[in-house]
Amino acid sequence: MRVELIKTYKSVHTWTGILAGLFLYIAFVAGALTMFKGPLNQWALQPETTLPSISVEKYDSLITEVLQAHPEAAKRMTVHLPLAGLQVAPVSWEIEDEVTHDHTLWYASFDGNGKLITQSFTVSAIGEFVDHLHRTGGIPGGEGHDAFGTYVLGVVAALYFIALVSGLIIFLPTWFKDLLVLRKGKNRKRYWLDFHNVLGITSLPFHLVIAFTAFVFAFHDPLYDALRVTAYGDSPMFTRPAPQEVKSFSELVPIAELETAIQEWESKFQMAEILYINLDTRSPRMRVGGIMHGEVVRGAEYAYVLGNPYLSEIPYSSFMPSNFNGYSGTVMSIFSLHFGSFGGNAVRWVYFVLGIMGALIFFTGNLLWIESRRKKRRAQGALPVQTTSSMVMARLTVGVGLGTILGIAASMLTVKWLPHAQVDIEFWQKTTYYTGFLFAVAWAFVRRPMAAARQLLVFCAAAIFLIPISSLIKGELLGAATQVWAVDFVALLIGVSLALLSVHLRKRQAKIEPDSVWSELVESPVTESSIPTPLPNTHPQASS
């Protein structure tokens, strides 16, 4: 391959990576954590915002009593069965204010005497907040599919895909020579390039899938809107069931009967939640979510069955593995490959590791860009000063990289200690995240990059150590479910890793060359004669 063509692809790879890298770093760190969104949510629960659990046999009675006492719940009510990822209360529903459009969540259960109890409160759902960071890159504005950051991440995903393809083309000429090679030594650029390549090549299929699916998810609604206008016209895109007579709530299919009907169709299906919609209208609907271990499923956690809550017959649903065809199989695969929901906890841990590796790819890419600028100036005979662009990139890399971690840790501590029943916990978990994130970015700009990195690593480690300490102080470790104390254990490991990295950077400081942006010197007292003469380099990929 011609050297000129390699340089062109290298330029494409560099700038698409630079433009997308910082957003993708946040998305990958948060995305790694969302693999265990359920345990995070359960870890954050407080006794004041939890109603008693009940046996499966009592669910039908509870649903009927809730609908009779609170008919407004018929519009949208969720039943959380024992296998559900978050155990707040057996039943919940949402009420929207017609004037302000604010939403209020209500929960219901039975007390020890079998009497209906209802309560309105806000659950932190820290897992959903981290997932929001994952989908938006932390860019504020809007919620759900309408979040501004979602569309930004869609564009970033396209740049990400271009960076992956161009990076692969750059690597092809030296594929067999440099595959999985990690050369340590004085040439820091060579080391970061090897590390960057090892991370990228070993996880390339994963990243191609994530880039493509992230783009599809971001522009899912506009794509469907375009199809509705250009292809379907006045015809409906989806077939809707014929309206029926409004039925009594007591005619809802019992949960045991519903589960039996589904398992006759999909034997692996284990019911976890039921979403009832418009139960008091002529077009009632339900969506049953269930666990199917080892199967390709539509959701991040569950497979789904759609149907009529007053009919035990389960209609055809392309959401289920038994009904895969060309189109539905492709759609299901896109969802499942992105969510890592096809192989249980083993695959979730693999995706967690791949997510961290993804974050490191963008981190090392920034370090490589910084080092390349320094090498280029040396090769051109210019004075080895620390350029503004390199300093800004170094500070953004440190600030955004460690600010993401500090912000998430601060948000977790907030939902652990603030009383959910007395404050707007969703507001405070967002506020503390952005406070921690912006503090780290500001700190990186007022301190030298290496000093800021060491100090922010200490801040992050301290904040993360407080996560298991908080659980210990609150007495929540003893008797807690495995998924709860696992959150504290992983936090402990991450805290130790960050503390050790801070120590390593302090030891490394003495070996940093004075013209590096990572030097602690405010002014670099170096001359051209003090800089070693660069050796000729004919390697096309390693050239600046």
Side-chain angles (χ1 to χ4, degrees):
M1 191 177 294
R2 292 183 303 175
V3 174
E4 294 80 6
L5 191 59
I6 288 289
K7 287 184 177 180
T8 299
Y9 279 112
K10 187 176 188 299
S11 180
V12 171
H13 178 75
T14 297
W15 287 107
T16 51
I18 290 296
L19 291 172
L22 294 175
F23 293 112
L24 288 171
Y25 176 89
I26 299 172
F28 270 91
V29 169
L33 294 177
T34 59
M35 298 312 301
F36 300 99
K37 184 164 61 174
L40 283 172
N41 286 336
Q42 200 67 36
W43 175 87
L45 281 183
Q46 296 181 350
E48 297 80 10
T49 53
T50 305
L51 296 185
S53 59
I54 59 174
S55 63
V56 177
E57 294 77 15
K58 295 181 180 179
Y59 270 84
D60 293 320
S61 299
L62 176 61
I63 293 169
T64 301
E65 288 196 33
V66 168
L67 290 170
Q68 290 173 347
H70 301 274
E72 67 277 8
K75 185 175 182 180
R76 190 177 183 88
M77 182 175 71
T78 304
V79 178
H80 309 276
L81 295 166
L83 287 179
L86 183 61
Q87 296 295 328
V88 180
V91 171
S92 67
W93 67 96
E94 188 176 72
I95 299 177
E96 181 180 358
D97 188 288
E98 295 181 357
V99 178
T100 64
H101 298 289
D102 291 335
H103 292 81
T104 304
L105 281 170
W106 282 82
Y107 298 87
S109 184
F110 286 139
D111 63 14
N113 298 319
K115 183 180 179 180
L116 176 67
I117 52 174
T118 60
Q119 188 175 346
S120 176
F121 49 77
T122 301
V123 178
S124 78
I126 185 68
E128 272 66 31
F129 174 64
V130 174
D131 185 48
H132 177 77
L133 296 177
H134 165 63
R135 290 183 289 104
T136 63
I139 301 171
E143 295 291 338
H145 292 295
D146 296 325
F148 175 68
T150 299
Y151 296 109
V152 174
L153 259 291
V155 175
V156 166
L159 295 174
Y160 170 33
F161 188 85
I162 295 171
L164 290 171
V165 174
S166 57
L168 180 61
I169 293 173
I170 296 168
F171 190 70
L172 285 176
T174 58
W175 178 280
F176 293 104
K177 177 184 175 182
D178 293 341
L179 184 64
L180 303 183
V181 173
L182 191 62
R183 286 162 283 202
K184 296 182 178 181
K186 294 183 178 180
N187 190 340
R188 300 304 295 172
K189 178 188 173 183
R190 179 76 258 176
Y191 172 75
W192 287 120
L193 180 60
D194 286 341
F195 192 28
H196 185 76
N197 288 340
V198 168
L199 290 171
I201 291 299
T202 53
S203 56
L204 181 61
F206 168 79
H207 287 283
L208 290 172
V209 167
I210 295 300
F212 173 72
T213 54
F215 178 83
V216 172
F217 290 159
F219 296 103
H220 176 274
D221 290 346
L223 287 172
Y224 269 115
D225 290 341
L227 280 174
R228 186 176 291 110
V229 173
T230 59
Y232 289 87
D234 296 331
S235 302
M237 289 183 66
F238 304 102
T239 303
R240 296 186 179 276
Q244 64 177 34
E245 293 183 1
V246 178
K247 295 191 175 183
S248 169
F249 297 141
S250 61
E251 297 181 72
L252 285 170
V253 177
I255 288 179
E257 185 178 332
L258 179 61
E259 184 169 27
T260 299
I262 297 175
Q263 288 184 343
E264 288 178 356
W265 181 27
E266 290 282 2
S267 59
K268 290 185 177 181
F269 192 94
Q270 297 176 284
M271 287 174 53
E273 69 172 28
I274 307 171
L275 172 63
Y276 292 119
I277 302 174
N278 297 331
L279 291 177
D280 55 352
T281 69
R282 298 182 64 195
S283 300
R285 291 177 289 157
M286 75 173 174
R287 187 191 70 188
V288 184
I291 297 171
M292 294 189 69
H293 294 296
E295 296 289 343
V296 175
V297 297
R298 176 67 178 266
E301 297 178 271
Y302 304 137
Y304 291 110
V305 173
L306 307 181
N308 186 322
Y310 294 101
L311 300 176
S312 59
E313 296 83 5
I314 304 302
Y316 172 86
S317 174
S318 61
F319 285 1
M320 299 298 287
S322 61
N323 284 326
F324 270 14
N325 55 40
Y327 171 76
S328 65
T330 300
V331 173
M332 294 273 282
S333 297
I334 288 174
F335 277 86
S336 191
L337 286 172
H338 187 94
F339 294 142
S341 56
F342 55 87
N345 284 333
V347 172
R348 292 186 183 279
W349 277 110
V350 170
Y351 266 55
F352 176 83
V353 173
L354 289 172
I356 299 300
M357 289 175 62
L360 290 176
I361 285 177
F362 307 114
F363 190 81
T364 55
N366 288 356
L367 297 181
L368 183 58
W369 185 87
I370 293 168
E371 193 66 17
S372 294
R373 303 285 75 72
R374 183 167 70 100
K375 293 290 185 182
K376 179 181 289 187
R377 292 185 61 80
R378 280 190 177 185
Q380 293 172 346
L383 285 175
V385 295
Q386 298 156 350
T387 63
T388 300
S389 60
S390 295
M391 289 295 291
V392 169
M393 177 57 70
R395 284 172 164 146
L396 283 175
T397 300
V398 171
V400 172
L402 296 178
T404 303
I405 298 172
L406 183 61
I408 292 175
S411 185
M412 291 181 65
L413 290 172
T414 298
V415 302
K416 195 68 170 179
W417 285 100
L418 287 185
H420 298 183
Q422 300 174 25
V423 300
D424 184 349
I425 194 62
E426 291 184 353
F427 167 80
W428 284 108
Q429 70 184 8
K430 290 180 182 178
T431 300
T432 49
Y433 167 79
Y434 287 110
T435 300
F437 178 83
L438 294 175
F439 166 79
V441 173
W443 192 266
F445 272 85
V446 299
R447 305 286 292 171
R448 297 288 294 180
M450 181 58 79
R454 291 199 317 270
Q455 292 157 2
L456 287 174
L457 280 169
V458 173
F459 295 157
C460 290
I464 292 174
F465 280 138
L466 287 175
I467 291 174
I469 291 174
S470 297
S471 297
L472 185 63
I473 292 174
K474 284 177 165 286
E476 296 174 359
L477 287 178
L478 297 177
T482 302
Q483 61 179 0
V484 174
W485 65 255
V487 171
D488 293 307
F489 179 72
V490 172
L492 183 64
L493 292 180
I494 294 174
V496 170
S497 300
L498 295 179
L500 292 176
L501 181 57
S502 178
V503 173
H504 170 74
L505 291 184
R506 180 171 291 280
K507 293 180 179 179
R508 176 71 190 166
Q509 184 59 49
K511 300 179 181 179
I512 295 176
E513 296 170 318
D515 64 320
S516 171
V517 296
W518 307 108
S519 172
E520 294 284 0
L521 299 174
V522 177
E523 297 291 340
S524 299
V526 293
T527 63
E528 292 186 60
S529 60
S530 67
I531 302 300
T533 302
L535 296 175
N537 189 351
T538 59
H539 194 294
Q541 185 182 0
S543 63
S544 298

